[in-house]
Amino acid sequence: MEQLIQELRELLMEAGVDRAVAGAVRSEAPLLRQGVDSLDYPAFSLAVESRYGLSIDERDSLSLRTLDDFAAYIRERVRGESPIGRIRRDWKTVNPGRDYEVGPLRPGDGRGVAQLFYSVYGDRYPVEDYYVPERIEQLNAEGALLTVVARLDDGSVAGQGAFYQSSPPNKALFEFGQVMVAPEYRETRMAARIIREMDRLSHTMTQAQGFFGEAVCTHTVTQKLVDKWGYSECGLEVALMPAGAYEKEGAGARRVSCLLGARVDRDRSMPLHLPECCRPALELILEGFRLERAIRWSPADQPLAARTSLERRSFDFAQVERAQALAVGADFPDIAALLDREAVQRGLAVLQVYVNAGEPGAAFAVEALRERGFFLGGLIPIWFGPDAILMQKLYVEPEFEAINLHSDRARAILGHIRADHARACATL
């Protein structure tokens, strides 16, 4: 439902609603009472009809007052039974020992990809789109998702990987991930072949400036495979996902951490404002990249703006919120306090804040976050266009001993992050 509500917010903007208004709309409240005027409303309804292939009659339109109303209407008429129920009904056995080919997704492969997500994650993957075959194929057609599949000679999908637009505000930075192989083929070279084909395709993606990935730390298999394709470790998201999301994969930790890695293919010269307090860790991360940066270290620089520009997204199942400071303002300490207070009230496990380091104010923001118990997560190139500093706060106890890392470089980054976490705990 969360993903569908986000899609509806995007359609509000397509219909002419101001971005700030659309982002602030509460899903349970009437749209006409939240800045969506009588001209925007019919344009929004037409956009919904176009996106989901609906024809909303006049009687139905009278009952569609909130985003929740629209979401329920779409689910009932377009998606019918639940996506998981449909996967179970259409289940196709993946037979071992068959020949297979690896290549881009074709029409009809969406069903097998959705089944693969369910076989690996159960019903706990946080983005519902990947359980809906038509949505998988639509996203590929739109270029927001590039899926590579391992297709058996009987048409079944036994493995996949993908490049996709996800959290970065810079939509030319694609996430690399979702590499999954059915249990029947995990003793083969299928995963390696998928990643090799993804690497080949990545060099043809002229729309991409770079790529990043989040490799789970319950094992080092994915870390080993991507290490050879030019990615460099740049951070660690501690306790990011509940172990339940990986229970079929044998995860034993209370929560699973993820190693961040990135590859920049099309760089440009730009300023980089960094906090002096994190210098050893950030210098280590920067050593892994060849970036054209005019680096300015500061203990606490001053932001250019009075007000912070912030985007927020919650991942309810994971108990995670990701806040993006597109621009840091003088009010950032108040913003940090609000985020922290609301995280406690909502029972979050993790709060992440990505700080735009392309303008003065990054060190100011980092210092404000450190005072509230945040610790360093990493430095991700071109996240905003400019680079991002990731700061994170945990409201659960981390299990650092459960983090498995492949490279010495990754272990060195963990050492810095773990030390900063200890410092954060000591300040509270």
Side-chain angles (χ1 to χ4, degrees):
M1 179 67 85
E2 175 191 330
Q3 181 66 26
L4 185 52
I5 294 295
Q6 183 60 33
E7 291 175 15
L8 291 172
R9 292 185 194 280
E10 293 169 1
L11 290 178
L12 281 171
M13 289 184 278
E14 288 183 19
V17 177
D18 181 82
R19 176 180 292 273
V21 172
V25 164
R26 289 178 289 115
S27 65
E28 77 284 0
L31 294 169
L32 294 176
R33 297 180 184 176
Q34 300 184 80
V36 180
D37 63 32
S38 57
L39 294 178
D40 295 328
Y41 185 86
F44 172 61
S45 295
L46 288 173
V48 171
E49 289 182 331
S50 176
R51 169 70 69 87
Y52 298 103
L54 294 169
S55 178
I56 303 175
D57 62 35
E58 185 174 350
R59 184 176 59 183
D60 286 338
S61 68
L62 295 175
S63 66
L64 301 177
R65 299 187 301 160
T66 70
L67 289 187
D68 285 344
D69 292 339
F70 276 95
Y73 185 86
I74 292 166
R75 288 172 67 93
E76 179 182 348
R77 284 159 179 78
V78 177
R79 301 183 177 177
E81 65 184 313
S82 73
I84 299 303
R86 183 180 172 192
I87 290 171
R88 290 171 174 165
R89 172 172 57 80
D90 295 338
W91 193 268
K92 184 174 182 179
T93 300
V94 176
N95 294 306
R98 303 192 72 102
D99 292 335
Y100 63 90
E101 61 178 356
V102 174
L105 181 119
R106 296 176 183 169
D109 288 339
R111 186 207 58 76
V113 170
Q115 177 177 307
L116 186 60
F117 268 87
Y118 180 67
S119 69
V120 172
Y121 292 101
D123 61 358
R124 298 188 176 186
Y125 195 77
V127 181
E128 188 180 84
D129 280 347
Y130 296 109
Y131 294 116
V132 182
E134 294 82 5
R135 186 64 177 147
I136 292 166
E137 296 186 15
Q138 180 186 4
L139 289 169
N140 272 270
E142 293 172 351
L145 173 67
L146 192 159
T147 304
V148 172
V149 302
R151 189 183 305 104
L152 303 185
D153 56 12
D154 65 358
S156 302
V157 173
Q160 81 120 54
F163 295 112
Y164 47 101
Q165 294 174 341
S166 57
S167 293
N170 177 13
K171 294 308 176 186
L173 177 62
F174 282 75
E175 185 164 359
F176 164 93
Q178 300 177 345
V179 178
M180 297 176 284
V181 173
E184 295 83 358
Y185 287 84
R186 290 184 184 170
E187 300 303 317
T188 72
R189 292 185 53 78
M190 183 176 284
R193 287 185 57 186
I194 290 170
I195 291 178
R196 185 166 61 245
E197 176 65 7
M198 291 178 69
D199 179 66
R200 185 189 71 79
L201 287 172
S202 72
H203 295 287
T204 72
M205 295 174 63
T206 57
Q207 73 272 35
Q209 291 178 289
F211 305 89
F212 82 101
E214 298 170 314
V216 296
C217 297
T218 51
H219 57 75
T220 62
V221 175
T222 308
Q223 297 173 42
K224 292 176 182 177
L225 288 171
V226 301
D227 183 58
K228 63 188 293 187
W229 302 117
Y231 288 72
S232 185
E233 300 93 336
C234 60
L236 187 70
E237 298 171 289
V238 180
L240 178 66
M241 293 291 290
Y246 301 93
E247 63 185 359
K248 291 192 173 186
E249 305 302 297
R254 288 191 295 272
R255 294 185 67 88
V256 175
S257 299
C258 291
L259 179 69
L260 282 163
R263 189 185 92 196
V264 179
D265 290 1
R266 295 172 180 83
D267 190 30
R268 61 182 177 84
S269 178
M270 64 182 86
L272 180 57
H273 298 265
L274 297 176
E276 185 69 42
C277 58
C278 301
R279 187 165 186 160
L282 296 177
E283 285 184 332
L284 171 63
I285 291 171
L286 287 167
E287 287 172 4
F289 298 91
R290 295 180 179 179
L291 303 174
E292 296 184 50
R293 299 290 182 271
I295 301 177
R296 294 162 187 156
W297 298 95
S298 172
D301 54 1
Q302 292 301 309
L304 300 177
R307 297 181 64 83
T308 298
S309 176
L310 193 75
E311 290 183 353
R312 301 171 65 176
R313 183 179 180 186
S314 295
F315 301 86
D316 293 337
F317 162 68
Q319 296 175 280
V320 172
E321 177 165 332
R322 180 169 284 169
Q324 316 243 31
L326 285 75
V328 174
D331 64 342
F332 190 86
D334 294 335
I335 297 292
L338 174 65
L339 290 170
D340 189 18
R341 183 167 61 250
E342 290 186 351
V344 173
Q345 292 170 349
R346 293 163 53 199
L348 293 183
V350 180
L351 174 58
Q352 296 183 330
V353 179
Y354 286 75
V355 177
N356 188 337
E359 296 181 351
F364 173 80
V366 167
E367 185 58 34
L369 291 166
R370 282 164 60 90
E371 289 177 359
R372 303 204 66 86
F374 284 76
F375 62 101
L376 183 67
L379 175 71
I380 306 91
I382 66 172
W383 184 269
F384 292 96
D387 307 329
I389 301 169
L390 167 61
M391 299 296 291
Q392 52 195 338
K393 183 170 182 178
L394 306 183
Y395 302 89
V396 295
E397 285 297 319
E399 292 182 298
F400 286 108
E401 291 76 13
I403 297 175
N404 297 295
L405 299 172
H406 169 60
S407 71
D408 291 339
R409 174 181 167 78
R411 286 188 283 272
I413 291 173
L414 170 60
H416 284 290
I417 289 174
R418 189 169 185 176
D420 200 33
H421 174 262
R423 186 269 322 154
C425 291
T427 64
L428 296 178

